[in-house]
Amino acid sequence: YMYAPPSDISGGSGGELATQQATATVKLQSISPTQKHALTAYLQYSHTDMDFDSTAIDLYNQTNRLTASAFYAYQIDRRWSAFATGALNFSAQSYCDWGNGMQGFIGAGAIYNFSRSLSIGAGAMAYSRMDRDWIGFPIAFIQWRINEKLTLKTFSGAALLWDVRGDERLVIDATFEYKNNYSRLDNGSSCADSWYQFSVGATYSPFKRCHIGVQLGGMFGREIEFRKTSLSDIDADAAPFVCINASMSF
């Protein structure tokens, strides 16, 4: 669950914007006995409530988003692996046909393992943007276990993880991400909601296979762009947010 308190908006309208989001995720991770094949896949549903305190507009207050994603890696030899990844998203305003809010991406590339502690991946991705042509761009990521307690990971952003006691019971993280959500509105138009996000959090495991966590951070440079409509784009001031989560693995 994530909550961002009201922040001022400008551009196409004045007023304030507060955001709430509830998300549920089911994730599968598997490695073959030979360790040549590795798969991570997840199905995620989120409901977002956008509370606009504006006298000029009444925008898309509630949206639903369903995402199916997978990342597969094949180990060619001790140093090299190949990967393929993809996702399919359905995002639309409440009471709108989810099929009209479909988008997704596919990508592939290679991973080089410098050591057990350092891996770097590179490849290319094609992304389908709502009401826009497909766009292609290169991708690169890194996973670096700096020492027994400190790890750096990048993909859609960057995360620095500190395993406080070295037993994965308490992990402190600092994360920087770029968020970009496209949604179909009930009048047939669409919008792109994008921002930068930085957070610091902690995840604690009270007992085996159970984790609870909290993140505190800020949202910066938020822009809401409308397409196929007469509504003007909106900018939102920086806003703090809090996120709480819980998970159980089997």
Side-chain angles (χ1 to χ4, degrees):
Y1 172 81
M2 184 274 288
Y3 174 71
S7 63
D8 291 336
I9 59 175
S10 60
S13 176
E16 293 183 328
L17 167 63
T19 306
Q20 298 185 71
Q21 185 176 77
T23 303
T25 305
V26 177
K27 184 164 75 170
L28 168 70
Q29 290 182 298
S30 179
I31 300 177
S32 68
T34 62
Q35 295 190 341
K36 280 188 169 294
H37 306 273
L39 174 68
T40 298
Y42 70 83
L43 184 68
Q44 184 180 81
Y45 167 76
S46 63
H47 177 83
T48 304
D49 187 352
M50 311 278 282
D51 184 8
F52 286 91
D53 178 19
S54 172
T55 58
I57 53 174
D58 183 16
L59 296 177
Y60 66 115
N61 289 345
Q62 297 181 345
T63 59
N64 298 295
R65 183 179 180 90
L66 182 67
T67 301
S69 178
F71 185 95
Y72 167 76
Y74 173 73
Q75 185 177 9
I76 301 171
D77 56 31
R78 187 171 63 89
R79 293 291 187 184
W80 287 97
S81 300
F83 74 87
T85 184
L88 189 62
N89 300 316
F90 299 87
S91 183
Q93 187 175 2
S94 295
Y95 310 112
C96 183
D97 185 350
W98 282 22
N100 293 330
M102 184 174 66
Q103 65 216 284
F105 70 83
I106 54 174
I111 303 171
Y112 185 76
N113 301 302
F114 291 89
S115 66
R116 291 185 177 182
S117 301
L118 178 61
S119 299
I120 294 179
M125 183 177 293
Y127 182 50
S128 169
R129 301 173 298 169
M130 195 175 298
D131 293 332
R132 295 286 181 92
D133 293 333
W134 283 74
I135 183 174
F137 52 88
I139 55 174
F141 56 90
I142 183 173
Q143 181 163 314
W144 180 20
R145 187 175 183 185
I146 301 170
N147 55 44
E148 293 184 355
K149 295 185 177 182
L150 200 61
T151 301
L152 174 66
K153 296 181 179 181
T154 70
F155 196 75
S156 60
L160 188 63
L161 310 173
W162 176 36
D163 186 352
V164 177
R165 295 185 292 188
D167 57 3
E168 299 184 351
R169 293 289 301 276
L170 177 62
V171 177
I172 307 296
D173 67 87
T175 304
F176 178 80
E177 297 178 279
Y178 173 68
K179 299 284 190 176
N180 194 359
N181 296 326
Y182 293 88
S183 297
R184 179 68 65 191
L185 306 187
D186 60 8
N187 62 2
S189 64
S190 64
C191 70
D193 185 7
S194 61
W195 68 91
Y196 295 94
Q197 179 172 299
F198 176 78
S199 66
V200 175
T203 301
Y204 177 67
S205 178
F207 52 88
K208 189 176 181 180
R209 301 183 183 276
C210 177
H211 299 84
I212 55 176
V214 60
Q215 283 81 37
L216 300 174
M219 306 165 69
F220 308 94
R222 189 172 188 178
E223 299 178 348
I224 302 176
E225 178 186 355
F226 296 97
R227 298 166 184 163
K228 294 186 175 182
T229 180
S230 60
L231 290 174
S232 299
D233 298 341
I234 292 173
D235 297 323
D237 289 352
F241 73 88
V242 59
C243 180
I244 57 175
N245 60 79
S247 67
M248 178 71 72
S249 59
F250 301 94

